[in-house]
């Protein structure tokens, strides 16, 4: 398989778990590459590429493969990304020239190589973006232009990790093999086994005091929440404890940690999760190396995929 917009390799871990072999990786962010290369020791039978665009323009440069995997950039289609871009008067979706039109490179690679199957992953809002027009273009390209038989499903990560994270998976087969997400429910663990936050927390003596919010930040977040509650908005922080399931970890977690703040009791200010706890929240194994700063690590895990959920989709 090939791993496009690879991030730190979450999709790859899911497909390697079922015996897949990665022959080509594309990821343009150098810090993500640092983490990826620290965890995947590839030989000469693997090509590590940066920017996808030269390969999208000339797909013959990409090795032959059976399956194409792509978690193509989701910020142009996410609810948060769209509202932020609207407020700044910027284009989003396919009109976002930098990221939104990268889907068409996937199209060109699929057209050239005709792999047996592909799997694309994105935010669940992709399906509804721009009055469903974006998704309609994607379907038209995959089904009508390229002739693949596709199915898709929005799946929540909650059965596998202690986080509510919904993502859409689009799977296509060159030959119609009768694949359907309709029977995916059999892959979902019994609800009695779904984990809670306590299962991934590091012990107190492993957690540096720097992860506890400063008095100034904690006051700001409380004031911000009070202001929005008064206005009838739902904005505010997410305070959790060991028995909780968290909100979605986002790439902006490094800014203030507000979406997932761990209570440390009434007398102590809450703390943010450590990078290792964020890795666990995404289902990455503890042997997964984190060779970058906390800020970079938070961005990388917030942009990644839930590994055990990927294994089940694979």
């Amino acid at each position: 398989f090939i791993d496009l917009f690879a991030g730190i390799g979450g999709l790859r871990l899911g497909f390697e778990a079922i015996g897949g072999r990665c022959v080509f990786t594309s990821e343009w962010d150098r810090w993500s590459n640092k983490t990826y290369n620290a965890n995947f020791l590839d030989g000469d039978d693997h090509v590590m590429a940066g920017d996808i665009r030269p390969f999208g323009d000339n797909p013959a440069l990409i090795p032959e493969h059976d399956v194409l995997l792509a978690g193509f950039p989701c910020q142009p289609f996410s609810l948060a990304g769209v509202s932020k871009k609207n407020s700044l008067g910027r284009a989003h979706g396919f009109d976002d020239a930098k990221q939104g039109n990268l889907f068409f490179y996937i199209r060109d690679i699929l057209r050239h190589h005709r792999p047996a199957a592909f799997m694309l992953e994105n935010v669940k809002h992709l399906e509804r973006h721009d009055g469903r027009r974006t998704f309609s273009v994607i379907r038209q390209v995959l089904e009508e232009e390229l002739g693949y038989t596709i199915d898709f499903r929005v799946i929540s990560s909650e059965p596998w990790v202690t986080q509510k994270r919904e993502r859409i998976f689009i799977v296509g087969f060159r030959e119609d093999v009768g694949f359907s997400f309709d029977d995916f429910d059999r892959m979902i663990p019994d609800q009695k086994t779904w984990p809670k936050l306590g299962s991934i927390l590091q012990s107190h003596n492993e957690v540096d005091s720097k992860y506890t919010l400063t008095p100034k930040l904690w006051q700001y977040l409380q004031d911000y929440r009070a202001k929005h509650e008064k206005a009838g908005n739902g904005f505010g922080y997410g305070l959790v404890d060991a028995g909780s399931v968290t909100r979605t970890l986002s790439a902006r977690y490094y800014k203030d940690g507000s979406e997932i703040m761990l209570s440390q009791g009434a007398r102590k200010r809450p703390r943010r999760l450590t990078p290792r706890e964020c890795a666990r929240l995404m289902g990455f194994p503890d042997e997964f190396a984190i060779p970058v700063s906390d800020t970079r690590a938070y961005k990388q895990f917030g942009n990644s995929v839930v590994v055990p959920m990927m294994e089940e989709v694979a």
Side-chain angles (χ1 to χ4, degrees):
F1 64 87
I2 63 172
D3 193 10
L4 307 181
F5 313 105
I8 56 174
L11 294 182
R12 174 170 173 168
L13 284 175
F15 276 77
E16 282 188 338
I18 61 151
R21 183 169 64 88
C22 185
V23 296
F24 177 88
T25 300
S26 169
E27 171 53 50
W28 71 276
D29 180 76
R30 70 187 178 106
W31 300 105
S32 294
N33 277 330
K34 186 174 181 181
T35 302
Y36 195 101
N37 288 324
N39 287 285
F40 301 102
L41 304 173
D42 289 307
D44 296 340
D45 58 345
H46 175 272
V47 179
M48 187 76 195
D51 191 351
I52 190 65
R53 281 172 282 205
F55 295 87
D57 291 334
N58 185 4
L61 296 171
I62 297 173
E64 291 298 318
H65 50 279
D66 304 299
V67 182
L68 176 148
L69 305 179
F72 61 108
C74 59
Q75 291 87 343
F77 309 107
S78 75
L79 212 48
V82 168
S83 51
K84 183 181 178 188
K85 284 179 172 162
N86 279 338
S87 69
L88 296 171
R90 290 185 192 158
H92 52 80
F94 287 144
D95 294 329
D96 176 344
K98 187 177 176 189
Q99 290 186 307
N101 54 17
L102 292 171
F103 166 75
F104 297 106
Y105 287 113
I106 298 172
R107 172 197 63 188
D108 297 340
I109 294 165
L110 286 171
R111 181 184 285 139
H112 178 89
H113 283 281
R114 305 291 298 158
F118 64 78
M119 191 215 66
L120 312 180
E121 177 268 348
N122 211 290
V123 288
K124 76 166 184 176
H125 187 63
L126 177 72
E127 204 184 342
R128 300 193 305 276
H129 179 259
D130 194 18
R132 298 187 183 269
R133 284 186 284 273
T134 296
F135 198 66
S136 146
V137 169
I138 287 172
R139 288 196 69 168
Q140 185 190 349
V141 165
L142 298 174
E143 292 178 313
E144 294 171 30
E145 266 190 55
L146 299 175
Y148 279 80
T149 303
I150 75 162
D151 197 25
F152 56 91
R153 176 162 169 160
V154 172
I155 302 173
S156 170
S157 64
E158 208 179 335
W160 296 278
V161 293
T162 175
Q163 175 190 185
K164 288 178 178 152
R165 185 184 193 89
E166 292 184 300
R167 290 293 183 266
I168 190 168
F169 294 92
I170 308 166
V171 168
F173 282 88
R174 188 182 62 214
E175 312 293 336
D176 185 356
V177 296
F179 172 84
S180 166
F181 271 118
D182 288 349
D183 63 345
F184 185 76
D185 290 344
R186 69 191 168 87
M187 312 298 285
I188 297 174
D190 185 324
Q191 193 162 357
K192 292 195 279 290
T193 69
W194 293 9
K196 294 290 185 282
L197 190 60
S199 64
I200 66 154
L201 297 177
Q202 293 179 274
S203 62
H204 293 300
N205 58 359
E206 289 180 283
V207 179
D208 194 294
S209 60
K210 69 181 180 180
Y211 296 108
T212 295
L213 269 60
T214 63
K216 189 176 177 184
L217 178 56
W218 179 222
Q219 192 58 55
Y220 166 78
L221 290 172
Q222 291 177 92
D223 294 345
Y224 185 81
R225 182 176 189 165
K227 183 179 87 175
H228 279 285
E229 278 178 352
K230 198 173 173 186
N233 296 331
F235 295 114
Y237 54 79
L239 197 60
V240 294
D241 59 30
S244 299
V245 173
T246 74
R247 296 180 184 179
T248 301
L249 179 70
S250 76
R252 69 169 297 286
Y253 190 66
Y254 72 94
K255 290 185 175 175
D256 56 21
S258 62
E259 69 255 44
I260 307 169
M261 296 194 309
L262 182 66
S263 169
Q264 301 191 92
R267 296 184 174 183
K268 199 170 179 191
R269 297 184 302 280
R271 70 169 176 89
R272 69 183 74 194
L273 299 179
T274 67
R276 177 56 62 196
E277 288 168 337
C278 288
R280 292 173 178 174
L281 192 63
M282 298 298 291
F284 282 80
D286 277 357
E287 56 270 23
F288 191 86
I290 307 175
V292 293
S293 69
D294 284 5
T295 296
R296 301 277 176 200
Y298 286 136
K299 282 185 178 180
Q300 289 173 7
F301 289 115
N303 272 329
S304 193
V305 295
V306 170
V307 174
M309 180 164 81
M310 278 320 312
E311 287 185 31
E312 299 303 339
V313 172

